[in-house]
Amino acid sequence: EAGVAQSPRYKIIEKRQSVAFWCNPISGHATLYWYQQILGQGPKLLIQFQNNGVVDDSQLPKDRFSAERLKGVDSTLKIQPAKLEDSAVYLCASSSGIGDTEAFFGQGTRLTVV
Amino acid sequence: KNEVEQSPQNLTAQEGEFITINCSYSVGISALHWLQQHPGGGIVSLFMLSSGKKKHGRLIATINIQEKHSSLHITASHPRDSAVYICAGRYGGATNKLIFGTGTLLAVQP
């Protein structure tokens, strides 16, 4: 079974530029999560999708961050414009969403804003 | 109060030592995940438990749902166990929300 795929693995951009990350969850997984992990901290939930609907985006900085999961499968997370403090690893995870099931994680995208 | 709290933040052990990492969590969390993260960022799920105890090799995870506390134990620790260990709480019901602790950085010295 293929795991959660994320791309790119690494990205370096200048502040005020835009960037997009892509995530393809495990086939059939209804729940998809995006997390931001700043160096030395635990991952912070940015947004959670159930199929193509948003369950929780309370910690998503909506003035600059946006995410979509149009067909309920893969998802993109965009930052526009980026700030220095957005430098972090962006992790995508998925789970089947039914009962107490395991979550599976992608390798993450390491973003550096200079 | 954080929804998921872990301790200690940093842990250094000698090879062969028994290691314990603790996690306490809020009301509403129905299951606990223990995850391992190596340098480079990739996260591997070690355990998911909602009651009792699970064992895999030298790793043991326990949960006490009355006290809302979970522990991860590593027996006969080895330098290759060096990593960040994170507990994450999953809320029950329709939300399925998954909230992470801050992680424990473990260094096992030979």
Side-chain angles (χ1 to χ4, degrees):
Chain A
E1 174 182 83
V4 177
Q6 282 190 253
S7 67
R9 283 297 312 275
Y10 305 94
K11 189 76 177 178
I12 301 174
I13 62 172
E14 293 182 351
K15 59 183 179 184
R16 291 187 289 273
Q17 283 188 322
S18 302
V19 65
F21 312 127
W22 175 80
C23 173
N24 190 10
I26 290 175
S27 177
H29 277 192
T31 305
L32 186 148
Y33 310 86
W34 281 104
Y35 292 89
Q36 179 193 58
Q37 186 176 23
I38 292 171
L39 186 65
Q41 300 180 17
K44 180 183 86 171
L45 179 67
L46 291 175
I47 189 167
Q48 176 186 341
F49 291 96
Q50 186 73 11
N51 297 307
N52 61 348
V54 175
V55 174
D56 188 333
D57 63 356
S58 56
Q59 296 201 81
L60 187 74
K62 298 181 186 64
D63 57 335
R64 298 183 302 105
F65 285 64
S66 64
E68 59 184 16
R69 194 185 184 199
L70 289 175
K71 295 182 180 178
V73 182
D74 54 354
S75 175
T76 54
L77 175 70
K78 295 179 182 176
I79 308 175
Q80 180 180 10
K83 293 185 176 181
L84 296 176
E85 58 261 35
D86 299 331
S87 295
V89 174
Y90 290 85
L91 291 162
C92 178
S94 72
S95 74
S96 68
I98 300 170
D100 286 337
T101 56
E102 277 196 68
F104 295 84
F105 295 85
Q107 286 293 304
T109 296
R110 183 176 297 277
L111 173 68
T112 302
V113 182
V114 298
Chain B
K1 185 181 183 297
N2 293 331
E3 294 165 276
V4 178
E5 291 190 338
Q6 252 182 274
S7 63
Q9 234 178 332
N10 293 282
L11 183 56
T12 301
Q14 292 299 121
E15 183 172 357
E17 284 186 1
F18 181 83
I19 289 163
T20 296
I21 300 169
N22 295 300
C23 181
S24 60
Y25 57 91
S26 298
V27 172
I29 287 174
S30 62
L32 234 291
H33 296 255
W34 281 102
L35 309 154
Q36 182 190 58
Q37 185 174 37
H38 280 280
I43 288 181
V44 173
S45 179
L46 299 174
F47 297 103
M48 189 200 69
L49 63 166
S50 52
S51 65
K53 175 179 171 179
K54 287 189 177 179
K55 184 176 188 292
H56 185 257
R58 295 180 294 106
L59 301 177
I60 303 166
T62 62
I63 189 168
N64 183 318
I65 54 177
Q66 281 77 30
E67 295 185 3
K68 296 183 180 45
H69 181 269
S70 177
S71 294
L72 176 69
H73 306 284
I74 305 175
T75 62
S77 59
H78 190 276
R80 65 174 173 265
D81 297 327
S82 299
V84 175
Y85 292 84
I86 307 173
C87 70
R90 177 192 291 278
Y91 282 87
T95 66
N96 220 18
K97 193 172 167 183
L98 187 63
I99 299 297
F100 285 74
T102 53
T104 295
L105 176 59
L106 171 65
V108 181
Q109 296 176 342

